[in-house]
PDB file of all heavy atoms in Angstrom:
ATOM      1  N   VAL H 192      13.291  -5.037 -31.697  1.00 88.00           N
ATOM      2  CA  VAL H 192      12.350  -4.361 -32.579  1.00 88.00           C
ATOM      3  C   VAL H 192      12.926  -3.069 -33.165  1.00 88.00           C
ATOM      4  O   VAL H 192      12.233  -2.265 -33.704  1.00 88.00           O
ATOM      5  CB  VAL H 192      10.996  -4.104 -31.870  1.00 88.00           C
ATOM      6  CG1 VAL H 192      10.302  -5.397 -31.509  1.00 88.00           C
ATOM      7  CG2 VAL H 192      11.168  -3.211 -30.673  1.00 88.00           C
ATOM      8  N   HIS H 193      14.239  -2.901 -33.010  1.00 83.00           N
ATOM      9  CA  HIS H 193      14.998  -1.800 -33.594  1.00 83.00           C
ATOM     10  C   HIS H 193      14.501  -0.422 -33.129  1.00 83.00           C
ATOM     11  O   HIS H 193      14.558   0.526 -33.889  1.00 83.00           O
ATOM     12  CB  HIS H 193      14.955  -1.921 -35.122  1.00 83.00           C
ATOM     13  CG  HIS H 193      15.546  -3.124 -35.631  1.00 83.00           C
ATOM     14  ND1 HIS H 193      16.884  -3.429 -35.497  1.00 83.00           N
ATOM     15  CD2 HIS H 193      14.945  -4.250 -36.182  1.00 83.00           C
ATOM     16  CE1 HIS H 193      17.137  -4.647 -36.027  1.00 83.00           C
ATOM     17  NE2 HIS H 193      15.930  -5.127 -36.403  1.00 83.00           N
ATOM     18  N   LEU H 194      14.027  -0.339 -31.912  1.00 86.00           N
ATOM     19  CA  LEU H 194      13.698   1.013 -31.366  1.00 86.00           C
ATOM     20  C   LEU H 194      14.962   1.598 -30.642  1.00 86.00           C
ATOM     21  O   LEU H 194      14.931   2.747 -30.288  1.00 86.00           O
ATOM     22  CB  LEU H 194      12.577   0.811 -30.370  1.00 86.00           C
ATOM     23  CG  LEU H 194      11.146   0.734 -30.922  1.00 86.00           C
ATOM     24  CD1 LEU H 194      10.107   0.439 -29.888  1.00 86.00           C
ATOM     25  CD2 LEU H 194      10.805   2.097 -31.640  1.00 86.00           C
ATOM     26  N   LEU H 195      15.941   0.785 -30.500  1.00 83.00           N
ATOM     27  CA  LEU H 195      17.091   1.199 -29.705  1.00 83.00           C
ATOM     28  C   LEU H 195      18.301   0.521 -30.385  1.00 83.00           C
ATOM     29  O   LEU H 195      18.209  -0.625 -30.843  1.00 83.00           O
ATOM     30  CB  LEU H 195      16.929   0.640 -28.315  1.00 83.00           C
ATOM     31  CG  LEU H 195      17.491   1.473 -27.105  1.00 83.00           C
ATOM     32  CD1 LEU H 195      16.794   2.760 -27.032  1.00 83.00           C
ATOM     33  CD2 LEU H 195      17.335   0.643 -25.823  1.00 83.00           C
ATOM     34  N   ASP H 196      19.433   1.262 -30.411  1.00 83.00           N
ATOM     35  CA  ASP H 196      20.614   0.602 -31.000  1.00 83.00           C
ATOM     36  C   ASP H 196      21.781   0.479 -30.013  1.00 83.00           C
ATOM     37  O   ASP H 196      22.864   0.030 -30.355  1.00 83.00           O
ATOM     38  CB  ASP H 196      21.085   1.353 -32.308  1.00 83.00           C
ATOM     39  CG  ASP H 196      21.335   2.822 -31.999  1.00 83.00           C
ATOM     40  OD1 ASP H 196      21.193   3.214 -30.834  1.00 83.00           O
ATOM     41  OD2 ASP H 196      21.727   3.516 -32.945  1.00 83.00           O
ATOM     42  N   HIS H 197      21.538   0.880 -28.776  1.00 85.00           N
ATOM     43  CA  HIS H 197      22.544   0.673 -27.741  1.00 85.00           C
ATOM     44  C   HIS H 197      21.888   0.423 -26.411  1.00 85.00           C
ATOM     45  O   HIS H 197      20.680   0.695 -26.250  1.00 85.00           O
ATOM     46  CB  HIS H 197      23.471   1.947 -27.658  1.00 85.00           C
ATOM     47  CG  HIS H 197      22.672   3.171 -27.216  1.00 85.00           C
ATOM     48  ND1 HIS H 197      21.847   3.882 -28.098  1.00 85.00           N
ATOM     49  CD2 HIS H 197      22.578   3.774 -26.055  1.00 85.00           C
ATOM     50  CE1 HIS H 197      21.280   4.861 -27.449  1.00 85.00           C
ATOM     51  NE2 HIS H 197      21.689   4.849 -26.248  1.00 85.00           N
ATOM     52  N   ASN H 198      22.687  -0.089 -25.443  1.00 86.00           N
ATOM     53  CA  ASN H 198      22.091  -0.359 -24.114  1.00 86.00           C
ATOM     54  C   ASN H 198      21.892   0.936 -23.338  1.00 86.00           C
ATOM     55  O   ASN H 198      22.839   1.718 -23.174  1.00 86.00           O
ATOM     56  CB  ASN H 198      22.986  -1.320 -23.358  1.00 86.00           C
ATOM     57  CG  ASN H 198      22.809  -2.731 -23.824  1.00 86.00           C
ATOM     58  OD1 ASN H 198      21.838  -3.040 -24.469  1.00 86.00           O
ATOM     59  ND2 ASN H 198      23.780  -3.573 -23.496  1.00 86.00           N
ATOM     60  N   VAL H 199      20.713   1.073 -22.777  1.00 87.00           N
ATOM     61  CA  VAL H 199      20.458   2.251 -21.905  1.00 87.00           C
ATOM     62  C   VAL H 199      20.447   1.809 -20.463  1.00 87.00           C
ATOM     63  O   VAL H 199      19.907   0.753 -20.115  1.00 87.00           O
ATOM     64  CB  VAL H 199      19.069   2.898 -22.281  1.00 87.00           C
ATOM     65  CG1 VAL H 199      18.744   4.026 -21.297  1.00 87.00           C
ATOM     66  CG2 VAL H 199      19.068   3.389 -23.703  1.00 87.00           C
ATOM     67  N   ASP H 200      21.109   2.622 -19.616  1.00 90.00           N
ATOM     68  CA  ASP H 200      21.065   2.318 -18.214  1.00 90.00           C
ATOM     69  C   ASP H 200      19.926   3.090 -17.565  1.00 90.00           C
ATOM     70  O   ASP H 200      20.106   4.127 -16.965  1.00 90.00           O
ATOM     71  CB  ASP H 200      22.412   2.723 -17.556  1.00 90.00           C
ATOM     72  CG  ASP H 200      22.541   2.146 -16.186  1.00 90.00           C
ATOM     73  OD1 ASP H 200      21.586   1.549 -15.644  1.00 90.00           O
ATOM     74  OD2 ASP H 200      23.685   2.239 -15.605  1.00 90.00           O
ATOM     75  N   TRP H 201      18.726   2.507 -17.754  1.00 91.00           N
ATOM     76  CA  TRP H 201      17.496   3.214 -17.461  1.00 91.00           C
ATOM     77  C   TRP H 201      17.423   3.906 -16.121  1.00 91.00           C
ATOM     78  O   TRP H 201      16.970   5.053 -15.976  1.00 91.00           O
ATOM     79  CB  TRP H 201      16.291   2.289 -17.577  1.00 91.00           C
ATOM     80  CG  TRP H 201      16.141   1.657 -18.898  1.00 91.00           C
ATOM     81  CD1 TRP H 201      16.658   0.522 -19.316  1.00 91.00           C
ATOM     82  CD2 TRP H 201      15.597   2.299 -20.085  1.00 91.00           C
ATOM     83  NE1 TRP H 201      16.365   0.277 -20.652  1.00 91.00           N
ATOM     84  CE2 TRP H 201      15.739   1.392 -21.136  1.00 91.00           C
ATOM     85  CE3 TRP H 201      14.916   3.519 -20.287  1.00 91.00           C
ATOM     86  CZ2 TRP H 201      15.197   1.668 -22.407  1.00 91.00           C
ATOM     87  CZ3 TRP H 201      14.407   3.745 -21.580  1.00 91.00           C
ATOM     88  CH2 TRP H 201      14.574   2.813 -22.620  1.00 91.00           C
ATOM     89  N   LEU H 202      17.888   3.205 -15.084  1.00 90.00           N
ATOM     90  CA  LEU H 202      17.747   3.771 -13.728  1.00 90.00           C
ATOM     91  C   LEU H 202      18.860   4.734 -13.317  1.00 90.00           C
ATOM     92  O   LEU H 202      18.815   5.366 -12.308  1.00 90.00           O
ATOM     93  CB  LEU H 202      17.680   2.609 -12.703  1.00 90.00           C
ATOM     94  CG  LEU H 202      16.401   1.734 -12.815  1.00 90.00           C
ATOM     95  CD1 LEU H 202      16.495   0.531 -11.914  1.00 90.00           C
ATOM     96  CD2 LEU H 202      15.152   2.579 -12.455  1.00 90.00           C
ATOM     97  N   ASN H 203      19.920   4.745 -14.123  1.00 89.00           N
ATOM     98  CA  ASN H 203      21.059   5.600 -13.797  1.00 89.00           C
ATOM     99  C   ASN H 203      21.242   6.801 -14.735  1.00 89.00           C
ATOM    100  O   ASN H 203      22.094   7.572 -14.553  1.00 89.00           O
ATOM    101  CB  ASN H 203      22.344   4.813 -13.700  1.00 89.00           C
ATOM    102  CG  ASN H 203      22.444   3.987 -12.449  1.00 89.00           C
ATOM    103  OD1 ASN H 203      22.208   4.497 -11.357  1.00 89.00           O
ATOM    104  ND2 ASN H 203      22.742   2.735 -12.603  1.00 89.00           N
ATOM    105  N   ASP H 204      20.337   6.865 -15.741  1.00 90.00           N
ATOM    106  CA  ASP H 204      20.398   7.898 -16.686  1.00 90.00           C
ATOM    107  C   ASP H 204      19.544   9.069 -16.166  1.00 90.00           C
ATOM    108  O   ASP H 204      18.389   8.883 -15.727  1.00 90.00           O
ATOM    109  CB  ASP H 204      19.896   7.423 -18.027  1.00 90.00           C
ATOM    110  CG  ASP H 204      20.078   8.427 -19.117  1.00 90.00           C
ATOM    111  OD1 ASP H 204      19.462   9.523 -19.066  1.00 90.00           O
ATOM    112  OD2 ASP H 204      20.807   8.148 -20.070  1.00 90.00           O
ATOM    113  N   PHE H 205      20.078  10.285 -16.210  1.00 91.00           N
ATOM    114  CA  PHE H 205      19.320  11.451 -15.629  1.00 91.00           C
ATOM    115  C   PHE H 205      17.976  11.641 -16.269  1.00 91.00           C
ATOM    116  O   PHE H 205      16.972  12.006 -15.633  1.00 91.00           O
ATOM    117  CB  PHE H 205      20.144  12.706 -15.851  1.00 91.00           C
ATOM    118  CG  PHE H 205      21.131  12.925 -14.737  1.00 91.00           C
ATOM    119  CD1 PHE H 205      21.902  11.930 -14.242  1.00 91.00           C
ATOM    120  CD2 PHE H 205      21.242  14.212 -14.167  1.00 91.00           C
ATOM    121  CE1 PHE H 205      22.784  12.094 -13.192  1.00 91.00           C
ATOM    122  CE2 PHE H 205      22.145  14.399 -13.111  1.00 91.00           C
ATOM    123  CZ  PHE H 205      22.875  13.374 -12.639  1.00 91.00           C
ATOM    124  N   GLY H 206      17.908  11.305 -17.603  1.00 90.00           N
ATOM    125  CA  GLY H 206      16.607  11.570 -18.289  1.00 90.00           C
ATOM    126  C   GLY H 206      15.605  10.498 -18.107  1.00 90.00           C
ATOM    127  O   GLY H 206      14.381  10.720 -18.126  1.00 90.00           O
ATOM    128  N   THR H 207      16.061   9.261 -17.928  1.00 93.00           N
ATOM    129  CA  THR H 207      15.070   8.153 -17.931  1.00 93.00           C
ATOM    130  C   THR H 207      14.732   7.616 -16.586  1.00 93.00           C
ATOM    131  O   THR H 207      13.730   6.901 -16.427  1.00 93.00           O
ATOM    132  CB  THR H 207      15.639   6.935 -18.742  1.00 93.00           C
ATOM    133  OG1 THR H 207      16.907   6.566 -18.177  1.00 93.00           O
ATOM    134  CG2 THR H 207      15.801   7.267 -20.208  1.00 93.00           C
TER     135      THR H 207
END
Side-chain angles (χ1 to χ4, degrees):
Chain H
V192 295
H193 301 292
L194 279 172
L195 211 66
D196 57 1
H197 62 284
N198 281 343
V199 175
D200 194 351
W201 300 95
L202 292 172
N203 284 312
D204 187 296
F205 274 44
T207 57

